[in-house]
Amino acid sequence: MRIAVCVKHVPEGPSHLDPSTKRLDRSGEGALNHFDANAVEEALRLKGDSDTEVVVVSLGPQKALDSLRKALAMGADRAVLVSDDAAAGSDLVATSRLLAAALEKLDADVVLFGQQASDADGAVLWAAVAERLGRPVVSQAMELAVDGSSVRVKRQTEFGYDTLEAPLPTVVAVSDAINEPRYPSLKGIMGAKKKQQDVFSLDDLGVDAGEAGEAGSRTTVLALGDPPVRADARKIEDDGNAAQAIVDFLAEKRIV
Amino acid sequence: MSTLVFLESHGNELQKGSLGVLAKAASLGDDVAAVIAGEGARALVPEAGTFGAAKIWICEDAEVVQPVPQPRVDVLAQVVEEGGYDTVLFANSVLAADVAAGLAARLDAGLNWDLVDLAVRDGELVGKRPALQDSVYAEVGWHGTPRLALFRAGSFDAAPTGGGEPEIADISPTYAAHSTAVKLVGQDAEESSGPSIEDADVIVAGGRGLGSPDNFTLAEELAKALGGAVGATRAVVDAGWYPYSTQIGQTGKTVSPKLYVALGISGAIQHKVGMQSSGTIVAINKDANAPIFEFSDLGVVGDVHEIVPKLTELVRARKG
Amino acid sequence: MSRASNFPPPFSTRDYVVEPTDPPDERIEVGVLIVGAGPSGLACAIRLGQLLEQHPEMAERFGEVPVAVLEKGKQPGSHLLSGAVMNPRALRRLFGEGFRMDDVPSYGEVPGESVYVLTRRTALPIPPPPPMRNHGNWILSLSQLGRFLAERAEEGGAMILPETAAEKLLVSHGRVVGVRTGDKGRNREGGELGNFEAGSDLTAKVTILAEGTQGHLTAVALDRFSLRGEEPQVWELAVKEVWKVAKPLGRVIHTMGWPLRTGKRFREFGGSFIYPMGKDMVTIGLVVGLDYRDASLSVHDLLQELKTHPKIRRILEGGERVEWGAKTIPSGGFHSLPQELHAPGLLLCGDGVGMVNVPRLKGIHYAIESGRLAAEAAFRAMQRGETPASALASYDDAVRDSFIWRDLYEVRNMRQVFGHGFFVGGALASAMTISKGRVEVGKMSAEPDADQPLLVTNRDASYPTPDGKLTFDKLSSVFASGNKTRDDQPNHIRIERRVPPEVAQLWAHMCPAQVYEIGREESDGTVVVELAPSNCVQCGAITAKGGRLTPPEGGSGPEYTAT
């Protein structure tokens, strides 16, 4: 069996938006998106001691290899990076297109995603990728089992817990409640460099430059600004009636 | 602008969040349409009409009985084509996010998410969203149509506009093979022990100002009265007063409930980044200079031990 | 009055010396093991890479992993902090011909400099005293330099292992054979979490400790092999910030005087630095000797106070703080250096053993040079094969022949004279520098910082209330260091928890990260010290002043980027 895990290399430390490009300043240090570590961990658990292959996939600049290596250090078998200058600034439409192209080549039985990306707070990528791959998708998985030719997922929604089954090949997005990612062992870290790491350009994937990056995107950032000051912020001192004042305030906001 | 709103329904109820988005769309001027997909959709039409939908597309196919996203992508794609909509709006939920993203890929349409507001400026649609742990606000736009927007839960209040009888249209698309592959095999309702911190609409959090671990009952009682969950700061978790699973902050959980009540919490930045995007923040603290008062909507300088029991009683009375 | 040293922490370096315990096939073997990916450790790794390239026949003896560098921070640079104005000579020697300082990330050569003596409202310019002249030196961020050197080291074949703490020294038959790395995934009580990962025995033919200030295993080794110098080591605490500014600062500034007090009984030795970082950033820091006596002294808050000085406020006006950090600097100088810098299987480098020129505020180039010399000695030992002990002695000879030794000897008594107070000390210091160390003031004894008798004043009454724009509280500062340490892990600080109030006050004020708080009072008049260990930025001040910092779980602590 082959499991592909999509991971993202996200900026670390204090984040800044570059005022000229209005995009996240990714020039500093980065790390493996910690939600994606759950997905890598889940893949490794599914693999266990079998000869299932776990491939980690990412779209990003060259230094995204650092995060891919961390996944290799945890125990993934090989890494695929889609990296091309023309891909910078890709939005959901373009990113999902590129990732789907890479995943088509990999032909995995299960494609895993983490809960969200800590930089864009997006929790949407897997559904878009699944649509492009023409595969069933299940998200918010807190328990995942693969048996033979299908997956069984327990997921949490606002209303409770659903148990779903889907035939392979399938796309699953795991929630951060599913597991506690392992620390890479020293041996794992040291062995990671030797594992296969492929870098694909847009050409390698057969994707035209016009379909990637800003050219291939359908959304844009227009302007950046400060968050609004909380309007009508009030501060009062308790003169014995604070409790009532609070209830009145909550009633005003239609919370009680 | 020709707008379609995805109205989410569960167990014969239209979700408030999506009704709020509908009301917002209606306020932008032009006629707004909505789509309801699920068992018993037809019965929900009148309610949707009172929140501002001029036309409602109904799908009651077997394929949309289960609360899964992909068949709804097929429904929406068909509605968008038949109705010629250039804008499709969603209120965030586990289901809606997957539907919106699947539709974006199906139609190669731009999707902006985590929006808290929407406006039309110089004929262009402009969305507003927080970014970087709510430390900046970005204005976002779209290229081409249709334009898809996913709004943060609770962005808009659902207020009936008293609209008239909406036009109804039935829709029954062809479903893609992959859309019908997922099967629901079991369902468990939420445990009655109260919502988890991440899902709670209301969180009552306690800090060192509570004075002692025993005083956490103040937070617990208030949370129960408000139907919410209990949270804690790092300081009290460090001191062993409350479990780590309830810790909110930089090294704990990040939450954004509709209401966050902070009891005896100073508001150091390590805590702030875990809850600053809460809808409404009420803080009670003895120290008038506590930093939390700089970012709460209602700050009360006073003693939690005196205020909270009274508050809990008043809330209980109000809720009946 | 109390002394902090009367309340020693429950800690013994003996507990950190062990034989390898992993089964032999689970031990990880490398050629040369370097602990610390700072300028010293990385220079060492780079030099070894150069030597291995020149001598390919040695590859077999070095093995599959010829050079491994352990780093307890998230990545190289995460725990590096300095001013910094660096003398480029050591980098030139390291990279040899063809090297240009333009190849290194920096903020250019020092454009000019000023020195001021401050009072609360005035700034009296004085000609820069000889030790403080920086012509020909370069301004840079040590954290950035660390990342640059790490890349060069990896290009040369070194394997860098971040998020890995070296917890114990592996000693077998009297020889250092490697280190044992720390466990990961323990909870606060020490139990194992679901993802618990035990540390490993990492063995090597030569182990080189380049841990920086308050190096944990360095202290362990100095005790185990009886290497401590004639004088105890003493430290200064530096707290600094990086700011985006509206107007470029065109020169390097050092200040003395306010907000430090000049009276001898206070023993407040130090000063501030303000360096331009290009046109739109500035770094400002305050350095204070930890032999101060007032329990209410807080270097963090003195830095906040310093920023309110009219001259300094103007520099920062319209700007924004972007980073904060703290670190100790070993300041005992020549007399506090260890007796020897080697032991069987072991070499010691850099700040860990105190190679810092205090009057010039320079240590990076000594760290780099000592790392380079250690690499050469280690390589010679590997060439000779099985008698590394004598081969490693050549490292000591090389250091003694180097500019490290010459420079430190020249300023050998500078630090101690300031124990006599600012004005007397200043005069003596100038005399010593001008005479290149030939003025003998007699060797003055340094006492350990924790031995200083404490006094309590109300110095804290004048610390500014943080306004969140110019001045900040400690918790905001810890946040600005990028510290996101996992909370649910064992407490890594060793400290006596019940102490007299003035000792508790000392620690509470001293710590720039607010790790220590004064808890309840006991019936015997002592108080309980409460800790928030996940605030810790591992500056090392506590070790100087009566407690003990041990390495927490790898990856913990600050994530410096521009310090």
Side-chain angles (χ1 to χ4, degrees):
Chain A
M1 187 170 65
R2 176 175 299 142
I3 305 176
V5 187
C6 292
V7 303
K8 192 173 183 188
H9 182 76
V10 294
E12 205 161 48
S15 295
H16 301 291
L17 289 169
D18 182 342
S20 52
T21 62
K22 301 199 190 65
R23 289 196 248 124
L24 200 55
D25 178 2
R26 295 181 185 279
S27 63
E29 290 318 300
L32 177 65
N33 175 28
H34 71 94
F35 292 105
D36 294 337
N38 294 114
V40 174
E41 174 64 29
E42 198 57 25
L44 294 173
R45 287 189 187 191
L46 289 172
K47 171 189 165 87
D49 288 322
S50 73
D51 53 13
T52 293
E53 188 191 26
V54 174
V55 186
V56 280
V57 184
S58 191
L59 168 68
Q62 276 290 123
K63 48 189 170 160
L65 281 171
D66 288 344
S67 287
L68 288 170
R69 266 183 223 128
K70 169 125 191 222
L72 293 175
M74 285 169 73
D77 298 297
R78 67 181 163 104
V80 169
L81 173 67
V82 177
S83 185
D84 198 308
D85 287 336
S90 293
D91 75 345
L92 177 68
V93 162
T95 300
S96 57
R97 187 181 286 134
L98 294 171
L99 269 180
L103 288 167
E104 289 280 12
K105 280 172 97 88
L106 282 177
D107 193 28
D109 300 283
V110 183
V111 178
L112 294 181
F113 285 81
Q115 179 177 290
Q116 68 197 70
S118 61
D119 55 356
D121 296 321
V124 290
L125 186 55
W126 49 83
V129 170
E131 173 63 34
R132 293 196 188 280
L133 291 175
R135 293 193 188 182
V137 66
V138 184
S139 63
Q140 298 293 341
M142 46 185 290
E143 273 173 35
L144 172 62
V146 176
D147 76 76
S149 55
S150 66
V151 297
R152 192 181 173 90
V153 171
K154 182 171 176 192
R155 71 193 300 230
Q156 184 172 22
T157 69
E158 298 90 343
F159 309 96
Y161 303 92
D162 294 342
T163 304
L164 300 145
E165 277 178 8
L168 301 181
T170 189
V171 175
V172 180
V174 304
S175 86
D176 64 354
I178 194 171
N179 59 39
E180 197 56 58
R182 67 192 63 181
Y183 292 101
S185 67
L186 261 189
K187 281 218 158 95
I189 299 175
M190 293 167 85
K193 294 236 163 84
K194 287 191 237 138
K195 294 183 178 173
Q196 185 181 343
Q197 292 155 59
D198 297 314
V199 182
F200 292 139
S201 66
L202 290 184
D203 276 343
D204 294 323
L205 293 180
V207 176
D208 189 77
E211 294 190 292
E214 283 189 18
S217 296
R218 293 275 176 277
T219 55
T220 183
V221 179
L222 299 169
L224 299 174
D226 290 320
V229 175
R230 286 188 175 255
D232 316 319
R234 289 173 236 179
K235 187 168 163 193
I236 62 175
E237 271 199 37
D238 182 19
D239 55 357
N241 294 321
Q244 187 63 52
I246 297 173
V247 171
D248 292 338
F249 175 80
L250 293 178
E252 217 182 282
K253 299 249 166 194
R254 277 180 291 192
I255 297 178
V256 288
Chain B
M1 205 163 86
S2 176
T3 308
L4 177 69
V5 176
F6 174 72
L7 286 182
E8 188 172 337
S9 62
H10 278 270
N12 298 327
E13 265 184 34
L14 283 175
Q15 295 308 295
K16 276 218 316 264
S18 52
L19 288 173
V21 171
L22 174 60
K24 173 69 183 181
S27 77
L28 288 177
D30 309 322
D31 278 347
V32 177
V35 54
I36 309 175
E39 209 169 3
R42 195 166 309 267
L44 301 171
V45 163
E47 192 186 356
T50 62
F51 282 84
K55 176 171 183 174
I56 306 196
W57 299 78
I58 309 270
C59 176
E60 289 184 308
D61 291 345
E63 286 84 347
V64 294
V65 167
Q66 297 180 140
V68 292
Q70 288 171 302
R72 289 162 170 79
V73 172
D74 297 309
V75 171
L76 268 111
Q78 180 102 350
V79 172
V80 166
E81 192 188 315
E82 279 187 32
Y85 297 104
D86 58 39
T87 305
V88 188
L89 309 180
F90 300 80
N92 191 38
S93 72
V94 167
L95 179 68
D98 287 349
V99 178
L103 188 65
R106 172 74 61 93
L107 303 178
D108 271 332
L111 170 62
N112 279 310
W113 61 82
D114 210 27
L115 299 184
V116 295
D117 205 359
L118 191 68
V120 179
R121 232 178 31 209
D122 304 326
E124 290 293 318
L125 192 63
V126 175
K128 208 167 199 161
R129 64 158 293 181
L132 298 185
Q133 291 183 310
D134 289 16
S135 61
V136 295
Y137 264 57
E139 285 191 345
V140 294
W142 290 260
H143 293 310
T145 59
R147 300 170 288 215
L148 308 187
L150 182 62
F151 291 89
R152 199 182 258 201
S155 291
F156 309 111
D157 283 328
T161 57
E165 289 251 345
E167 190 195 324
I168 301 181
D170 285 290
I171 188 92
S172 187
T174 318
Y175 293 94
H178 66 267
S179 295
T180 53
V182 178
K183 299 268 174 286
L184 181 70
V185 298
Q187 269 191 316
D188 283 314
E190 189 69 58
E191 286 128 20
S192 54
S193 61
S196 73
I197 283 204
E198 288 100 327
D199 298 325
D201 271 342
V202 176
I203 295 179
V204 179
R208 276 232 288 249
L210 280 179
S212 79
D214 299 324
N215 289 335
F216 248 91
T217 50
L218 291 173
E220 286 164 359
E221 291 298 305
L222 180 57
K224 206 149 66 175
L226 288 166
V230 177
T233 63
R234 190 186 72 173
V236 302
V237 170
D238 268 1
W241 292 9
Y242 231 63
Y244 180 60
S245 57
T246 64
Q247 182 173 318
I248 292 171
Q250 183 194 31
T251 52
K253 299 206 161 69
T254 303
V255 297
S256 56
K258 291 216 182 67
L259 172 66
Y260 192 91
V261 183
L263 306 178
I265 294 178
S266 66
I269 188 158
Q270 284 86 350
H271 185 73
K272 178 181 176 187
V273 296
M275 43 65 73
Q276 65 188 332
S277 54
S278 303
T280 299
I281 300 174
V282 174
I284 307 177
N285 194 309
K286 257 198 325 235
D287 175 11
N289 293 318
I292 197 159
F293 291 132
E294 284 161 41
F295 55 95
S296 21
D297 296 289
L298 175 62
V300 179
V301 182
D303 188 339
V304 290
H305 307 101
E306 284 177 20
I307 299 175
V308 177
K310 278 193 230 158
L311 176 61
T312 304
E313 240 186 80
L314 288 171
V315 170
R316 277 198 198 119
R318 237 194 125 82
K319 287 202 151 183
Chain C
M1 257 295 187
S2 324
R3 289 160 209 266
S5 53
N6 291 143
F7 306 94
F11 171 86
S12 164
T13 54
R14 274 193 306 278
D15 295 336
Y16 293 87
V17 179
V18 295
E19 297 258 351
T21 47
D22 285 349
D25 57 349
E26 276 175 39
R27 292 175 208 172
I28 300 174
E29 203 180 307
V30 304
V32 172
L33 175 62
I34 300 169
V35 181
S40 186
L42 293 171
C44 184
I46 290 170
R47 185 71 186 122
L48 282 169
Q50 293 168 348
L51 291 165
L52 279 167
E53 207 194 319
Q54 289 159 20
H55 300 269
E57 74 282 5
M58 284 295 293
E60 208 191 309
R61 203 167 290 181
F62 272 76
E64 222 184 288
V65 184
V67 179
V69 185
L70 299 186
E71 168 55 43
K72 64 176 161 60
K74 263 244 154 56
Q75 51 197 304
S78 293
H79 290 186
L80 291 179
L81 179 146
S82 184
V85 169
M86 185 193 72
N87 181 329
R89 74 188 294 192
L91 273 184
R92 293 196 175 116
R93 288 166 76 86
L94 177 65
F95 288 113
E97 252 189 71
F99 170 77
R100 298 171 60 240
M101 270 303 290
D102 291 322
D103 301 332
V104 174
S106 82
Y107 297 98
E109 281 191 70
V110 171
E113 56 193 313
S114 311
V115 179
Y116 296 94
V117 178
L118 298 182
T119 66
R120 179 68 185 83
R121 296 208 192 291
T122 67
L124 175 71
I126 61 173
M132 299 192 103
R133 295 202 197 129
N134 278 297
H135 179 72
N137 292 329
W138 289 65
I139 304 176
L140 46 73
S141 149
L142 186 62
S143 179
Q144 283 173 8
L145 179 68
R147 281 192 293 286
F148 169 81
L149 292 175
E151 281 167 31
R152 305 284 82 72
E154 283 184 311
E155 279 164 17
M159 178 171 293
I160 301 190
L161 302 167
E163 301 191 77
T164 306
E167 201 202 344
K168 298 191 175 153
L169 200 61
L170 295 178
V171 176
S172 188
H173 303 301
R175 254 195 85 221
V176 173
V177 297
V179 304
R180 181 163 183 85
T181 61
D183 295 339
K184 291 194 183 185
R186 282 195 188 276
N187 62 23
R188 188 166 290 130
E189 292 75 40
E192 297 176 11
L193 292 167
N195 57 357
F196 172 73
E197 181 77 28
S200 303
D201 286 341
L202 245 179
T203 59
K205 302 198 177 57
V206 183
T207 301
I208 301 179
L209 298 181
E211 296 169 298
T213 187
Q214 299 288 12
H216 169 65
L217 291 184
T218 305
V220 169
L222 292 178
D223 282 347
R224 171 64 180 74
F225 295 98
S226 306
L227 297 174
R228 291 202 179 271
E230 44 188 273
E231 293 292 334
Q233 187 58 271
V234 288
W235 288 267
E236 303 180 320
L237 175 60
V239 180
K240 72 169 244 177
E241 300 178 352
V242 177
W243 280 68
K244 269 207 170 71
V245 289
K247 312 175 291 264
L249 175 67
R251 65 221 149 93
V252 153
I253 297 178
H254 288 106
T255 76
M256 305 184 235
W258 184 88
L260 298 175
R261 291 168 295 191
T262 53
K264 179 177 170 183
R265 69 185 175 115
F266 296 118
R267 229 183 144 92
E268 285 168 19
F269 170 59
S272 86
F273 60 86
I274 313 173
Y275 300 154
M277 292 167 70
K279 290 208 180 342
D280 59 358
M281 291 210 293
V282 146
T283 180
I284 174 168
L286 181 65
V287 180
V288 183
L290 283 169
D291 54 340
Y292 68 77
R293 291 186 175 163
D294 189 344
S296 65
L297 196 89
S298 160
V299 180
H300 174 277
D301 292 286
L302 288 181
L303 174 63
Q304 306 311 310
E305 209 177 314
L306 174 74
K307 288 185 286 177
T308 65
H309 189 283
K311 191 167 190 68
I312 297 176
R313 190 193 280 268
R314 269 198 297 277
I315 295 173
L316 300 176
E317 206 138 59
E320 190 195 336
R321 182 176 82 163
V322 295
E323 204 163 333
W324 172 96
K327 208 158 175 82
T328 49
I329 306 171
S331 56
F334 186 83
H335 294 301
S336 302
L337 291 172
Q339 310 276 9
E340 288 182 338
L341 299 167
H342 76 283
L346 179 73
L347 293 173
L348 305 167
C349 303
D351 268 22
V353 289
M355 295 176 175
V356 175
N357 185 326
V358 173
R360 288 191 191 271
L361 284 186
K362 300 273 179 301
I364 302 173
H365 66 305
Y366 303 134
I368 293 172
E369 180 69 359
S370 71
R372 190 183 73 84
L373 295 174
E376 297 187 340
F379 196 80
R380 279 193 296 274
M382 298 287 276
Q383 282 175 320
R384 297 222 197 120
E386 279 313 315
T387 54
S390 50
L392 294 180
S394 70
Y395 171 62
D396 278 59
D397 297 333
V399 171
R400 277 162 217 262
D401 282 337
S402 75
F403 57 79
I404 304 173
W405 209 255
R406 267 197 310 281
D407 288 2
L408 293 183
Y409 181 77
E410 186 182 300
V411 298
R412 64 196 178 284
N413 277 321
M414 199 71 73
R415 181 64 187 78
Q416 285 82 322
V417 303
F418 278 88
H420 294 266
F422 180 73
F423 294 109
V424 174
L428 279 174
S430 280
M432 280 161 57
T433 317
I434 291 168
S435 70
K436 289 211 170 286
R438 275 173 233 116
V439 164
E440 267 300 344
V441 291
K443 198 160 57 65
M444 294 170 192
S445 270
E447 304 128 301
D449 296 323
D451 274 0
Q452 295 295 338
L454 297 176
L455 55 94
V456 181
T457 70
N458 62 350
R459 184 71 181 82
D460 49 335
S462 57
Y463 297 150
T465 307
D467 64 14
K469 295 197 179 41
L470 177 68
T471 58
F472 300 87
D473 64 282
K474 284 179 175 178
L475 284 184
S476 303
S477 299
V478 169
F479 190 80
S481 74
N483 187 357
K484 297 194 267 292
T485 299
R486 193 174 77 76
D487 296 314
D488 190 21
Q489 62 171 285
N491 175 11
H492 65 287
I493 311 251
R494 304 282 169 270
I495 199 161
E496 174 53 57
R497 297 284 306 279
R498 280 182 57 171
V499 294
E502 58 274 14
V503 176
Q505 246 189 28
L506 171 74
W507 292 335
H509 281 118
M510 168 203 78
C511 178
Q514 206 169 296
V515 170
Y516 312 97
E517 282 190 5
I518 304 176
R520 67 178 185 279
E521 199 177 311
E522 301 283 45
S523 47
D524 59 358
T526 58
V527 296
V528 173
V529 178
E530 299 291 352
L531 289 97
S534 54
N535 283 348
C536 179
V537 294
Q538 298 171 44
C539 72
I542 190 61
T543 305
K545 272 314 222 187
R548 194 71 177 206
L549 169 72
T550 70
E553 183 179 277
S556 302
E559 291 176 33
Y560 297 138
T561 58
T563 55

